[in-house]
């Protein structure tokens, strides 16, 4: 499909006002081509009204016996006072607005640990983020974009950060209830005060009560967190690269796994990273929140537990009613694309209005403003611009401008079908990956492969090596035409190990491996799992407690990260299976030996056009 600009299917120009009917003569939003336009009367920044307040929540997370209050700032058009205008709100909340501790790996968990073994004690960050006693302007994000269009912009600081009371909980209930309280205040259901401990109230009489939330990374997680409460007034969210499950952020299919670029980070490390709140509650928060995290995060087994389930927003998805425009990068190896995919699929099943924007880059990257504008104009401002009829998925194609995504009817591509490929031959060199039958018909002996684990070798080194006994690599013949993959590849591996537990890593790559500053030029997608979880009803459920036995094979099946990529003609699609992934997994002592039964191993690729398309590209006659 060709790329397209966003256009309103209805009338080209629609002008309407957001104040109550009957308040004639007031300034209002102007909508053109389905998007709220800059209005000169709103655009004079010198006239904007700015103020701060503290909103009372329904929780007490710092143990002082009083409901915590969260710090809020507001920027709104002058007409909200001069003309009594009521306006919709764009809202962002964050734990980062008052600074962070910085990345100091000596305070992370030591990843030189045996898989399944006891972790080494961590040296926590000292709680030395300088507390900012006053911060009337929390952030300037979104102000220049939305206030000139007739919206108010609101920011708030997460509990236990900046001038917000409470303790950070990193996915705990108060992170959902804090933005809910702010939205309740915007609708007259919660109390706001002019100071953190005073009793002078401030009301949001200038707000329509209709709110849209957005943000990136942690700031993109919190709109979803708020939406799970079902709070009335939160009409739309635009989460960008959101972390939708702290288990999936720090674990993968039962395996302890770091987010890309942060080896040894875990939920208690993130607590230390953001804890900028009031000094007088720091000792309480450390002993009652962070120490509890450390006791429950379980870096020995990597098991899913009640602790992790409470921090998994998929378990609270039934509360979401806000129209969702999800955004993510397919090469985001920090907050991986499964986070947006799993939530999007659940919202689609529940009939929540949904659009998806994916790009080919890394962490972050919001949708084009036109797309966000149409979304907020329709659901927050209430303009009937026909966005419901727009394509459900927008994907930036390889090498394209991120502002020019290609529209699709859905994601995954509606014509994508799973096609199974099986490995054969000697994977220490490069074996074969084909559509054909048993392993001995796909490259001859051996019908198994052996991996000698050594974390010293990075995945890129292993994929580029002509020969290595630290990985198994199997590849298709050169493609005679492009192959479009769209969706989730699933790998099934039959494996044994001579240790009680081991890492298992799988990369899908494009060969030949090329020298590039961007690893993503070669990596299609990846996945990681714990073979000791084989046989569980769900791969993320607690393991049976039975260690791996030497020579005894187990079978496991798990998804790789979602992707949408066109593999060009002339390339080969490669399946690489190895043990420790230097950039993501624990680093056990080298020497564990894994054996892979090729007859019990396969990968299913989501190919647009299905088996027929892949057969054409591989020059294989139709079956």
């Amino acid at each position: 499909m060709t790329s397209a600009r966003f256009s309103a299917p209805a009338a080209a120009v629609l002008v309407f006002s957001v104040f109550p009917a009957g308040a004639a003569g007031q300034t209002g939003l102007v909508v053109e081509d389905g998007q709220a336009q800059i209005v000169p009367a709103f655009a004079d920044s010198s006239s904007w009204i700015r103020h701060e307040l503290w909103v009372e929540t329904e929780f007490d997370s710092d143990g002082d016996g009083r409901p915590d209050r969260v710090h809020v700032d507001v920027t709104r058009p002058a007409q909200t006072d001069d003309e009594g205008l009521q306006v919709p709100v764009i809202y962002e909340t964050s734990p980062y607005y008052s600074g962070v501790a910085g990345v100091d790996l000596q305070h992370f968990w030591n990843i030189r640990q045996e898989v399944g073994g006891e972790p080494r004690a961590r040296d926590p960050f000292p709680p030395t983020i300088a507390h900012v006693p006053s911060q009337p302007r929390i952030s300037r994000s979104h102000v220049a974009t939305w206030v000139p269009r007739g919206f108010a912009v609101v920011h708030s600081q997460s509990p236990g950060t900046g001038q917000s009371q409470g303790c950070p909980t990193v996915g705990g209930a108060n992170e959902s209830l804090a933005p809910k309280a702010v939205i309740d205040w915007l609708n007259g259901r919660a109390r706001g005060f002019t100071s953190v401990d005073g009793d002078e109230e401030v009301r949001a009489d200038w707000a329509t009560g209709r709110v849209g939330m957005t943000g990136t990374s942690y700031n993109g997680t919190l709109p979803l967190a708020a939406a799970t409460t079902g709070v009335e007034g939160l009409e739309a969210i635009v989460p960008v690269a959101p972390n939708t499950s702290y288990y999936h952020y720090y674990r993968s299919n039962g395996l302890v796994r770091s987010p890309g670029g942060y080896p040894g980070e875990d939920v208690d490390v993130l607590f230390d990273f953001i804890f900028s709140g009031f000094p007088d509650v720091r000792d309480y928060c450390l002993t009652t929140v962070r120490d509890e995290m450390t006791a429950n995060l379980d870096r020995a087994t990597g098991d899913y537990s009640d602790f992790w389930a409470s921090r998994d927003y998929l378990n609270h998805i039934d509360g979401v009613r806000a129209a969702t425009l999800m955004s993510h990068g397919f090469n985001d190896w920090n907050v991986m694309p499964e986070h947006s995919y799993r939530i999007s699929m659940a919202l689609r099943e529940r009939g929540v209005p949904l659009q998806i924007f994916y790009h080919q880059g890394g962490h972050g990257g919001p949708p084009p403003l036109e797309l966000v504008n149409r979304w907020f104009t329709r659901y927050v401002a209430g303009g009937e611009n026909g966005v419901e009829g727009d394509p459900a998925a927008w994907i930036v194609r390889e090498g394209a401008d991120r502002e020019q995504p290609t529209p699709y009817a859905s994601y995954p591509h509606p014509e994508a079908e799973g096609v199974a490929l099986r490995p054969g031959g000697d994977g220490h060199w490069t074996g074969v990956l084909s559509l054909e039958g048993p392993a001995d018909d796909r490259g001859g002996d051996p019908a198994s492969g052996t991996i000698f684990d050594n974390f010293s070798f990075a995945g890129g080194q292993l994929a580029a090596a002509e020969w290595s006994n630290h990985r198994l690599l199997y590849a298709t013949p050169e493609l005679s035409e492009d192959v479009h993959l769209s969706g989730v590849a699933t790998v099934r591996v039959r494996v044994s190990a001579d240790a009680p537990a081991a890492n298992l890593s799988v990369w899908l790559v494009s060969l030949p491996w090329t020298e590039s500053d961007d690893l993503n030029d070669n990596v299609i997608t990846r996945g990681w799992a714990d073979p000791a979880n084989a046989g569980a009803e769900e791969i993320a459920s607690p393991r049976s407690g039975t260690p791996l036995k030497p020579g005894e094979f187990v079978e496991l099946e798990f998804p790789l990260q979602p992707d949408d990529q066109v593999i060009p003609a002339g390339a080969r699609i490669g399946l690489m299976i190895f043990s420790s992934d230097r950039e993501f997994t624990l680093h056990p002592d080298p020497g564990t030996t894994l054996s892979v039964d090729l007859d019990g191993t396969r990968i299913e690729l989501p190919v647009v056009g299905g088996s027929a398309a892949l057969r054409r590209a591989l020059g294989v006659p139709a079956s």
Side-chain angles (χ1 to χ4, degrees):
M1 301 179 71
T2 57
S3 60
R5 299 300 285 178
F6 317 109
S7 60
V13 179
L14 169 67
V15 181
F16 65 95
S17 185
V18 296
F19 50 81
Q26 293 177 326
T27 310
L29 269 70
V30 174
V31 176
E32 182 175 345
D33 291 335
Q35 301 171 51
Q37 302 296 305
I38 293 174
V39 176
F42 294 142
D44 179 8
S45 61
S46 66
S47 69
W48 293 346
I49 299 166
R50 302 179 176 93
H51 56 97
E52 66 177 332
L53 65 138
W54 282 260
V55 170
E56 187 173 83
T57 70
E58 57 191 86
F59 56 82
D60 172 20
S61 61
D62 57 17
D64 65 358
R66 300 187 302 272
D68 295 342
R69 294 182 179 182
V70 294
H71 186 218
V72 177
D73 81 6
V74 174
T75 304
R76 51 190 172 92
Q79 290 79 5
T80 54
D81 272 4
D82 298 344
E83 301 178 11
L85 182 68
Q86 289 185 311
V87 295
V89 173
I90 304 302
Y91 172 31
E92 181 174 13
T93 185
S94 175
Y96 297 145
Y97 288 144
S98 283
V100 294
V103 177
D104 188 342
L105 296 182
Q106 71 172 335
H107 298 300
F108 284 33
W109 289 91
N110 190 332
I111 58 175
R112 282 289 289 115
Q113 174 195 328
E114 294 301 312
V115 180
E118 287 301 315
R120 301 178 183 182
R122 180 175 80 90
D123 177 22
F125 284 85
T128 55
I129 302 175
H131 178 68
V132 180
S134 178
Q135 196 174 354
R137 295 286 299 279
I138 294 174
S139 174
R140 290 175 169 80
S141 67
H142 312 297
V143 171
T145 299
W146 294 106
V147 178
R149 289 174 165 83
F151 293 72
V153 173
V154 169
H155 301 97
S156 71
Q157 295 170 310
S158 295
T161 70
Q163 297 81 50
S164 286
Q165 295 177 324
C167 301
T169 58
V170 190
N174 69 346
E175 285 195 347
S176 301
L177 295 173
K180 174 185 180 296
V182 174
I183 296 165
D184 281 336
W185 173 72
L186 289 166
N187 282 274
R189 298 186 298 265
R191 297 194 300 168
F193 299 89
T194 58
S195 62
V196 68
D197 54 4
D199 57 7
E200 182 182 351
E201 291 195 35
V202 55
R203 293 178 172 82
D205 298 332
W206 44 267
T208 64
R210 299 175 67 89
V211 181
M213 291 187 71
T214 190
T216 297
S217 194
Y218 208 142
N219 299 12
T221 299
L222 297 174
L224 178 64
T228 63
T229 69
V231 59
E232 186 178 347
L234 181 55
E235 304 298 335
I237 58 174
V238 183
V240 180
N243 175 355
T244 65
S245 163
Y246 284 90
Y247 181 84
H248 287 79
Y249 188 59
Y250 293 118
R251 308 287 185 267
S252 186
N253 300 313
L255 194 70
V256 175
R257 175 189 50 73
S258 302
Y262 299 93
E265 187 188 333
D266 216 315
V267 65
D268 58 343
V269 178
L270 187 51
F271 174 100
D272 288 341
F273 185 71
I274 65 174
F275 189 21
S276 60
F278 289 100
D280 60 344
V281 300
R282 289 193 173 187
D283 288 343
Y284 177 89
C285 294
L286 291 173
T287 57
T288 62
V289 178
R290 189 190 66 188
D291 290 353
E292 180 183 0
M293 290 177 176
T294 302
N296 285 282
L297 54 84
D298 185 8
R299 289 184 64 85
T301 70
D303 286 347
Y304 197 69
S305 63
D306 290 342
F307 172 81
W308 293 112
S310 68
R311 289 169 165 78
D312 186 339
Y313 294 110
L314 190 61
N315 295 329
H316 310 285
I317 198 69
D318 286 342
V320 178
R321 53 173 290 277
T324 302
L325 168 56
M326 191 71 77
S327 177
H328 220 123
F330 283 125
N331 291 302
D332 186 346
W333 303 113
N334 178 358
V335 182
M336 299 188 190
E338 68 177 326
H339 285 271
S340 57
Y341 179 80
R342 61 202 296 271
I343 294 297
S344 296
M345 295 302 101
L347 294 180
R348 179 184 295 172
E349 290 176 1
R350 287 159 175 78
V352 175
L354 176 73
Q355 274 189 6
I356 303 171
F357 170 82
Y358 282 119
H359 59 86
Q360 303 295 333
H363 189 49
L369 177 59
E370 294 96 325
L371 197 59
V372 179
N373 194 328
R374 285 179 58 75
W375 203 252
F376 282 159
T377 296
R378 167 64 181 90
Y379 292 108
V380 182
E384 296 289 345
N385 59 7
V387 74
E388 304 94 318
D390 287 359
W394 300 85
I395 297 175
V396 179
R397 293 267 49 103
E398 298 79 357
D401 186 334
R402 195 168 57 81
E403 297 295 314
Q404 296 278 351
T406 299
Y408 293 93
S410 65
Y411 177 79
H413 193 292
E415 296 175 14
E417 298 177 6
V419 182
L421 294 166
R422 299 175 182 273
D426 187 353
H428 290 162
W429 295 91
T430 300
V432 298
L433 189 64
S434 77
L435 293 157
E436 302 307 319
D440 55 6
D441 292 336
R442 301 189 306 277
D445 292 331
S448 65
T450 302
I451 300 165
F452 297 95
D453 183 28
N454 190 337
F455 70 84
S456 299
F457 297 92
Q461 291 177 277
L462 296 178
E466 183 177 5
W467 183 95
S468 175
N469 61 1
H470 301 302
R471 54 86 172 132
L472 297 172
L473 181 61
Y474 308 93
T476 67
E478 286 188 5
L479 303 176
S480 62
E481 59 183 72
D482 294 351
V483 171
H484 185 178
L485 304 180
S486 179
V488 177
T490 301
V491 66
R492 179 184 298 168
V493 183
R494 190 167 187 266
V495 63
S496 69
D498 66 356
N503 295 313
L504 183 67
S505 304
V506 175
W507 285 19
L508 191 68
V509 296
S510 177
L511 299 176
W513 193 269
T514 57
E515 294 297 327
S516 172
D517 293 334
D518 187 356
L519 191 67
N520 298 320
D521 289 345
N522 295 102
V523 174
I524 299 172
T525 184
R526 319 187 227 208
W528 305 263
D530 177 4
N533 268 330
E537 183 176 344
E538 294 182 11
I539 196 72
S541 63
R543 55 173 108 189
S544 63
T546 303
L548 300 173
K549 297 178 181 179
E552 184 175 303
F553 282 85
V554 295
E555 295 181 356
L556 64 159
E557 183 173 321
F558 57 95
L560 307 185
Q561 291 296 316
D563 193 34
D564 193 293
Q565 190 169 154
V566 176
I567 314 302
R572 304 171 69 192
I573 298 174
L575 171 66
M576 184 170 74
I577 304 171
F578 59 118
S579 185
S580 296
D581 189 330
R582 180 175 178 81
E583 297 172 322
F584 295 95
T585 67
L586 298 175
H587 292 178
D589 288 342
T592 295
T593 302
L594 285 74
S595 295
V596 177
D597 176 5
L598 301 188
D599 279 333
T601 299
R602 65 179 230 176
I603 186 165
E604 185 171 281
L605 301 181
V607 180
V608 176
S611 177
L614 188 56
R615 285 179 177 275
R616 284 196 310 273
L618 295 176
V620 176
S623 58

